[in-house]
Amino acid sequence: MHEAKLSDGIITLSPLRLDDVETHLAGEDELLVRWLDGGPGTRKGIEAYFRHCMKQWDIAGPLRAFGIRIGADEVLTGTIDLRFAGEDLAPGQVNVAYGLYPSWRGRGLATRAVLLASRYAAAEGGAKAVIQVEPENPASAAVAQRAGFTAGKPTHGKGGTRFDRYIRDLHAATR
């Protein structure tokens, strides 16, 4: 598996791996289920998704999923993923999605993760990062704003769900 490891001295981003499954399941709460996961995780489902993420790293696919880790032991505190292709993305745009486990929220870790992931996306050829947030999720919108994203035109997902879009020029992320 391709080993990408990014750090700002406080957090480290590295690819998700199978030994993260237990921590992820333990950290999942109603907010992660609602805003990120789309439903409660099962061991079988999370393992399958993490295997998919690992395969994407192996083939340099459009999905790059990282664990957000802290400390010398690199304790898993949440996840962040980049999608270099997908619906509602123009060429060069990279979708950024993130979530922290409850005990790690409110410490600025998500903002740090978004900044690190943005630098990685720029190095991989991305031109603009996009964060899509449901209007009822102000905490996620605040992360986007703290990371230097600006409000763009709202969109609607497949099921008609409205998303506020936040966009950042990735060339600015490397400065």
Side-chain angles (χ1 to χ4, degrees):
M1 179 170 76
H2 176 75
E3 183 60 32
K5 199 170 202 180
L6 316 168
S7 181
D8 68 359
I10 303 293
I11 66 163
T12 299
L13 302 183
S14 62
L16 291 169
R17 49 190 190 246
L18 289 179
D19 63 357
D20 291 328
V21 170
E22 200 66 43
T23 303
H24 183 78
L25 283 168
E28 191 177 69
D29 69 344
E30 71 177 67
L31 293 178
L32 278 179
V33 167
R34 179 176 180 187
W35 303 123
L36 194 62
D37 295 343
T42 64
R43 178 172 317 291
K44 183 177 178 180
I46 297 299
E47 283 180 6
Y49 177 69
F50 282 18
R51 285 181 197 282
H52 171 71
C53 294
M54 292 163 59
K55 175 81 171 168
Q56 288 289 294
W57 279 104
D58 287 343
I59 65 170
L63 170 64
R64 310 290 165 82
F66 294 93
I68 303 169
R69 304 172 196 285
I70 194 164
D73 294 337
E74 296 188 359
V75 173
L76 186 68
T77 63
T79 64
I80 186 166
D81 70 50
L82 301 173
R83 293 186 188 266
F84 287 83
E87 70 176 60
D88 296 329
L89 291 177
Q93 288 185 332
V94 180
N95 190 75
V96 182
Y98 45 85
L100 291 174
Y101 307 133
S103 62
W104 296 102
R105 293 180 188 140
R107 301 179 190 196
L109 302 179
T111 302
R112 288 178 171 281
V114 168
L115 291 170
L116 273 175
S118 293
R119 283 189 221 118
Y120 174 84
E124 292 294 306
K128 294 192 182 293
V130 177
I131 295 175
Q132 300 184 83
V133 178
E134 290 185 46
E136 297 82 19
N137 187 355
S140 189
V143 168
Q145 292 166 336
R146 281 192 302 272
F149 286 65
T150 56
K153 183 179 177 186
T155 63
H156 289 82
K158 287 181 190 174
T161 302
R162 179 189 162 169
F163 291 99
D164 292 335
R165 284 173 63 103
Y166 295 88
I167 301 169
R168 180 166 184 199
D169 179 344
L170 287 175
H171 300 292
T174 60
R175 291 183 205 132

